[in-house]
Amino acid sequence: MTVDFILNGTPVTVRADHPHLLSALREELDVTSPKDGCSPQGQCGCCTVMIDGKVQISCTYAVDKVAGRSVTTLEGVAEVERTKFSDAFAACGGLQCGFCIPGIVMRAMAQVDKKGAGLERADMARHLGAHLCRCTGYVKVLDAIDAVAKGKTFDVSLPGVIGTSGTKYEAAELALGDRGYVDDIRLPGMLHAALHLTEHVRADIVRIDTSAAKSAPGVIAVYTAADIPGAQYVGIIYKDWPIFIGEGQRTSYAGDVLAIVVADTKQQARDAAKLVHVEYAVQRPITDPVAAITDSEIAVFGTKDNILSTSAYQRGDVDAALTASHHTVHEVFNTQRIEHAFLEPESTLAVPSDDGRLHVYSGGQGVWDDRDQIAAILDVPIDQVTVELVSNGGAFGGKEDMSNQGQTALAAWLLQRPVKCTLSREESLLIHAKRHPIRLEYWAGCDADGVLTALRVRGIGDSGSYASVGMKVLERAAGHAGGPYRIPNIDVECIAVRTNNPVCGAFRGFGANQAQFAMEGVIDRLAHMVGISGWEMRKRNVIHPGDVWGPGQIMDDGCAGAEECLDRAKPHIDAALAAGKAVGLGLGLKNSGLGNGLREVCAAVIRFRSADNKVEVRHGFTEMGQGVHTVALQTAVTELGIDPARIEVIVDTTRQLGFGQTTGSRGTLMAAASVQKACAVALAAGCALDVDHYAEHVVDWTQKLGDPNVPNPTIHAAFGYAAQLVIADKESGTIERVVAIHDVGKAVNPLLCEGQIEGSVHMGLGYALTENFPSDERGFPTNMTLRSLGILRPKDVPPIDVELVEVPQPKAAYGIKGVGEIGLVPTAGAVAAALFMVDGQWRNTLPMKPKATDADD
């Protein structure tokens, strides 16, 4: 019943009933550098270890096979080797969230040991085929490995003032797996929980029988909706998402939770969760978003109709302008549903304390929203709940809504014991919100010279069951529907529809990328009709300061960045065309911040600790790989003139510093401004010790889109701009290079800023060509493994050249615009244009086929 082997040079014994070696390492031996991103799929590489000197994926390696063998994890690697890799990854910017990096380091170490300085970059990219990184685009990962192979040494100092490059905050610890995530936390007496999900997306719950689960080995308790003392429904905007579906209620999507099982071990909880028996009365799923608008039945239990929201605005006379236009185009574009595929599945640990409080460790994107919703579930004042951010292993918008925080907190509260719940990859795929698939119908016109005259857009987005932020995504799609162009006559309407398909919500780009895939396609079609290049068409229509844009906003001086990016692209286009390449150009804009009339507030605290001479920098945003902690650090260094090594960055809810989610590229914009102001308060107080030097940053000058009483609303306070070139082989259609030219206002840390863009381009290429997350007629997703999602692997990613443009944003700290979301907005349009040069086929559906063949006709 046990298995003996050597772990990092020490004999160990583990139970033989573990489902795989990774489970034995993490759950029994508490070795946490191998991460669990997908067990037992073996498709992310995060759990890579060495067995008898050979790299192996530990989540597919049977425990009994390891008997008598020698297993090495990063904990057992010699310190000199560990330092080589941690220094290289930190100095090269080769990590963001860091979750995938320990596994990558293990494989890289084996290749460097084998080939040394002879290790070729392309060869290493091929060896990383077993690994996924959703953050970096692999560019700087390969830079770091190449540096180690060639024996380079690095200065791994923290960055200095705003505008300087330097290592990411906690980079070394992340590279080696030493800085834990929620699932890496171990506490005495900690219990484990697992969820029981629905078998039908739309069914009445007649009866939930938990008796068999309760009597299973190791089970401590089973809880359902009947055990909730307070609110059953949560949600960021609308409280319509139930943490449990109870008897007498109806399910609405495949991720609905019916029960939580708490047991001594993770495996016991998972085994027992399968024993919960549910009696259903199955109803007809409503899965067609267009048909759902007029369906006589309501898709989502407790709602009144199937339209979640309508976002609309008009300017001028579109009908007359289209009639008078020299050229017109009418096209329907369809974008697909996409899974975030952050490498760290959602995990929550809730810990009751003797003083009647609850401490929750969360990797969510809005710990203050988590706190408020958990307090409502437990029916306690919010000051009885503290939520501490544990920087997460990627999010991209997918961790805005609570996943298992509510259920885990409830179980811990009722049991008065620590409880941890970590989702499996399959559960994660079912539960959290996705990117919206949107049908976009465009009518557009221009004059004989290619100057745009009119645009009409009708969009229908499948928002799935619960609201999440679906109404805001379609609002954003509507606002950005015309791209970064002057259009005198415009009529836009975008509808978010409720169905029983997977919930859709926030995802990098947030509706802007869907809309601008369509708009860029329209621009290229009109340019073809006029007989001018896509670059010239954009040049004649790009917005300038003082122009009226989209919903009526009069653009500020920051919008000059759009034309600057376009102008920077011209030499690259000319060179590629001269070399006989197919070239596609995309131009995009993306707001930073919430806008649309919302009053945005964020706060920060600077505290000089007398006990250890450290300086606390507390802010309100989630670190999820994008580098917001580093932004806070560099802001404090800039304003206070202190050694960055003194700074400790903290995010928890012991102070009311956060208001809303880390979303919409607002983290850098708002955190820098709030920390800057808190530093000013500290300096005015003489940097008094052991005092909270507090300040707020407020953005309260935006107005809502579509208000007829406000003809020129400032719907957003800031925008980022980007031009991207996709260069392809004219014969094969193979993409050979991407040039990404981005106006970021001010690059806080150029190295990390480049990394954000490279990762965005990687995601944008997948969005354009390979990624999809479809669901069937039952409303269940059909791609339920990481490999089936179509994410590009390292060998498939072309070189990505990044150019940073800095046109300052008025009224923003240091002129910052943000970069997190704009990175993939132009990509799909640029790919479509390049492929048109290859085969002469216009593309209107994502993902696109790389090259049309006779069989496609």
Side-chain angles (χ1 to χ4, degrees):
M1 300 299 290
T2 61
V3 175
D4 300 326
F5 62 96
I6 306 298
L7 175 63
N8 297 326
T10 301
V12 296
T13 301
V14 298
R15 301 190 316 272
D17 61 353
H18 287 283
H20 39 68
L21 173 59
L22 178 62
S23 173
L25 293 173
R26 291 184 58 84
E27 304 307 323
E28 187 171 352
L29 298 173
D30 291 336
V31 174
T32 59
S33 70
K35 307 302 181 187
D36 187 349
C38 70
S39 70
Q41 295 179 11
Q43 296 179 7
C44 73
C46 297
C47 66
T48 301
V49 300
M50 289 189 187
I51 301 177
D52 289 342
K54 182 179 179 181
V55 287
Q56 297 283 356
I57 302 297
S58 62
C59 78
T60 59
Y61 202 92
V63 175
D64 59 355
K65 285 179 60 179
V66 82
R69 298 180 182 272
S70 176
V71 176
T72 304
T73 69
L74 273 175
E75 288 88 346
V77 173
E79 195 59 37
V80 64
E81 288 298 309
R82 286 164 53 87
T83 301
K84 282 183 188 177
F85 280 93
S86 65
D87 284 358
F89 273 83
C92 294
L95 76 165
Q96 291 182 28
C97 82
F99 194 83
C100 65
I101 301 302
I104 288 174
V105 168
M106 291 300 293
R107 190 169 299 273
M109 195 177 300
Q111 288 301 309
V112 171
D113 286 348
K114 183 178 179 181
K115 299 178 182 176
L119 179 60
E120 297 289 338
R121 187 184 183 96
D123 194 34
M124 190 65 232
R126 180 176 59 81
H127 282 290
L128 287 180
H131 296 261
L132 277 177
C133 176
R134 196 61 159 157
C135 297
T136 67
Y138 307 107
V139 177
K140 288 178 170 46
V141 167
L142 291 167
D143 289 346
I145 297 170
D146 186 62
V148 174
K150 290 179 170 51
K152 294 181 181 178
T153 58
F154 295 97
D155 175 9
V156 290
S157 301
L158 287 165
V161 298
I162 295 288
T164 62
S165 291
T167 63
K168 176 184 170 67
Y169 183 74
E170 297 184 322
E173 298 91 332
L174 288 165
L176 298 173
D178 293 342
R179 210 283 284 140
Y181 302 85
V182 174
D183 193 41
D184 295 330
I185 300 172
R186 275 90 176 105
L187 293 177
M190 184 178 72
L191 300 173
H192 297 265
L195 305 178
H196 181 92
L197 306 184
T198 183
E199 296 176 16
H200 304 279
V201 300
R202 189 165 178 258
D204 294 330
I205 303 301
V206 179
R207 182 169 175 264
I208 301 175
D209 183 356
T210 63
S211 57
K214 286 179 177 176
S215 62
V219 171
I220 305 299
V222 181
Y223 297 117
T224 66
D227 299 297
I228 303 171
Q232 181 182 0
Y233 291 83
V234 298
I236 298 172
I237 300 175
Y238 297 157
K239 305 301 181 189
D240 67 342
W241 198 327
I243 66 165
F244 292 109
I245 306 295
E247 292 181 350
Q249 297 177 330
R250 179 175 290 179
T251 64
S252 296
Y253 89 121
D256 274 329
V257 179
L258 306 185
I260 184 169
V261 178
V262 185
D264 289 325
T265 70
K266 180 186 288 189
Q267 195 58 45
Q268 287 172 335
R270 290 203 166 280
D271 290 343
K274 299 172 186 176
L275 301 178
V276 175
H277 177 74
V278 181
E279 183 180 344
Y280 299 92
V282 179
Q283 307 297 315
R284 173 179 65 90
I286 297 173
T287 58
D288 182 333
V290 176
I293 295 174
T294 56
D295 199 303
S296 61
E297 296 187 34
I298 303 301
V300 179
F301 181 77
T303 61
K304 296 181 178 179
D305 63 48
N306 293 337
I307 294 179
L308 173 62
S309 68
T310 301
S311 300
Y313 59 92
Q314 302 83 34
R315 284 190 294 109
D317 188 338
V318 171
D319 287 332
L322 285 174
T323 300
S325 296
H326 196 275
H327 299 286
T328 60
V329 64
H330 175 212
E331 186 70 87
V332 176
F333 298 87
N334 286 282
T335 69
Q336 78 279 44
R337 185 184 300 109
I338 293 286
E339 156 64 22
H340 300 74
F342 37 75
L343 270 294
E344 176 211 23
E346 300 88 333
S347 185
T348 301
L349 170 60
V351 185
S353 58
D354 294 337
D355 61 1
R357 299 173 56 81
L358 185 70
H359 194 99
V360 180
Y361 297 90
S362 171
Q365 289 183 235
V367 291
W368 280 269
D369 283 345
D370 289 358
R371 177 202 61 185
D372 295 349
Q373 292 177 93
I374 289 168
I377 292 164
L378 303 182
D379 195 24
V380 300
I382 60 172
D383 61 5
Q384 278 188 246
V385 179
T386 296
V387 179
E388 179 179 341
L389 169 69
V390 179
S391 301
N392 66 42
F396 314 108
K399 292 178 180 175
E400 289 191 14
D401 304 281
M402 291 209 303
S403 55
N404 60 5
Q405 290 97 319
Q407 298 91 344
T408 309
L410 174 68
W413 185 254
L414 295 177
L415 288 169
Q416 286 297 297
R417 290 184 63 182
V419 176
K420 182 165 67 177
C421 180
T422 301
L423 300 186
S424 68
R425 177 56 60 181
E426 293 81 1
E427 289 165 341
S428 177
L429 293 173
L430 290 171
I431 290 174
H432 73 254
K434 316 300 176 191
R435 186 187 299 286
H436 282 74
I438 306 180
R439 180 188 188 274
L440 292 151
E441 189 166 8
Y442 271 61
W443 297 261
C446 68
D447 66 16
D449 295 322
V451 176
L452 293 170
T453 55
L455 178 69
R456 172 173 286 125
V457 177
R458 293 294 180 264
I460 297 175
D462 183 353
S463 219
S465 54
Y466 304 123
S468 182
V469 292
M471 69 291 285
K472 291 298 178 182
V473 173
L474 270 294
E475 181 181 67
R476 203 74 79 249
H480 288 68
Y485 305 111
R486 296 184 306 275
I487 306 172
N489 303 282
I490 190 166
D491 174 11
V492 176
E493 178 186 81
C494 287
I495 300 171
V497 183
R498 292 186 190 264
T499 68
N500 299 121
N501 292 322
V503 177
C504 289
F507 197 158
R508 178 185 248 165
F510 207 89
N513 51 306
Q514 291 98 317
Q516 287 176 80
F517 164 65
M519 187 63 198
E520 291 301 276
V522 165
I523 288 287
D524 285 324
R525 286 160 174 79
L526 288 172
H528 190 68
M529 292 176 180
V530 176
I532 59 176
S533 70
W535 184 90
E536 184 61 37
M537 184 76 184
R538 288 166 176 83
K539 181 73 171 177
R540 295 179 187 185
N541 292 283
V542 67
I543 50 172
H544 299 129
D547 284 346
V548 176
W549 168 79
Q553 179 162 344
I554 298 172
M555 299 301 279
D556 59 28
D557 289 347
C559 86
E563 188 167 32
E564 179 66 20
C565 291
L566 191 61
D567 289 344
R568 295 273 196 101
K570 188 65 163 61
H572 296 285
I573 295 172
D574 293 343
L577 291 174
K581 302 298 181 181
V583 183
L585 171 65
L587 185 67
L589 85 167
K590 175 65 179 68
N591 72 291
S592 296
L594 302 179
N596 276 292
L598 292 172
R599 184 175 186 269
E600 290 192 69
V601 182
C602 68
V605 162
I606 301 294
R607 186 180 183 93
F608 294 84
R609 297 197 305 238
S610 60
D612 57 6
N613 199 35
K614 289 286 189 178
V615 180
E616 290 182 9
V617 178
R618 293 177 175 267
H619 64 88
F621 293 95
T622 293
E623 174 60 63
M624 47 193 172
Q626 84 281 37
V628 70
H629 282 355
T630 311
V631 169
L633 178 146
Q634 290 190 248
T635 303
V637 170
T638 300
E639 301 299 327
L640 300 175
I642 61 175
D643 182 348
R646 291 181 61 194
I647 293 173
E648 182 178 349
V649 184
I650 300 172
V651 177
D652 64 29
T653 61
T654 57
R655 281 86 161 164
Q656 183 65 46
L657 305 179
F659 301 83
Q661 298 286 315
T662 305
T663 186
S665 298
R666 67 194 291 254
T668 297
L669 198 70
M670 302 291 280
S674 60
V675 172
Q676 182 188 49
K677 291 180 177 180
C679 288
V681 171
L683 290 169
C687 298
L689 299 177
D690 301 319
V691 173
D692 279 3
H693 301 288
Y694 173 93
E696 290 183 353
H697 176 63
V698 179
V699 175
D700 57 2
W701 60 85
T702 67
Q703 295 91 37
K704 187 170 176 58
L705 170 151
D707 184 345
N709 297 316
V710 185
N712 296 111
T714 299
I715 65 168
H716 295 297
F719 294 88
Y721 303 90
Q724 289 184 4
L725 278 70
V726 169
I727 300 168
D729 180 80
K730 267 192 174 181
E731 296 300 318
S732 66
T734 300
I735 295 174
E736 297 179 342
R737 184 170 297 275
V738 176
V739 181
I741 305 166
H742 283 247
D743 171 30
V744 301
K746 179 64 177 179
V748 176
N749 185 314
L751 177 72
L752 301 188
C753 192
E754 287 177 3
Q756 281 283 292
I757 294 167
E758 290 159 354
S760 296
V761 170
H762 168 251
M763 193 175 280
L765 290 172
Y767 182 53
L769 293 168
T770 57
E771 292 190 41
N772 202 358
F773 194 70
S775 56
D776 60 23
E777 67 281 355
R778 301 176 304 128
F780 276 81
T782 56
N783 289 348
M784 291 299 291
T785 65
L786 286 176
R787 192 169 295 280
S788 69
L789 300 177
I791 299 167
L792 294 175
R793 299 281 171 158
K795 66 180 180 59
D796 302 316
V797 181
I800 301 168
D801 299 332
V802 175
E803 290 186 20
L804 299 179
V805 175
E806 295 183 318
V807 176
Q809 176 62 48
K811 300 172 73 172
Y814 312 111
I816 288 168
K817 290 177 175 174
V819 71
E821 293 197 285
I822 180 65
L824 56 62
V825 170
T827 316
V831 171
L835 294 179
F836 177 77
M837 282 195 68
V838 171
D839 59 17
Q841 300 293 311
W842 294 117
R843 287 160 171 83
N844 59 7
T845 300
L846 297 179
M848 297 176 276
K849 292 183 178 180
K851 182 180 178 180
T853 63
D854 294 339
D856 297 324
D857 296 334

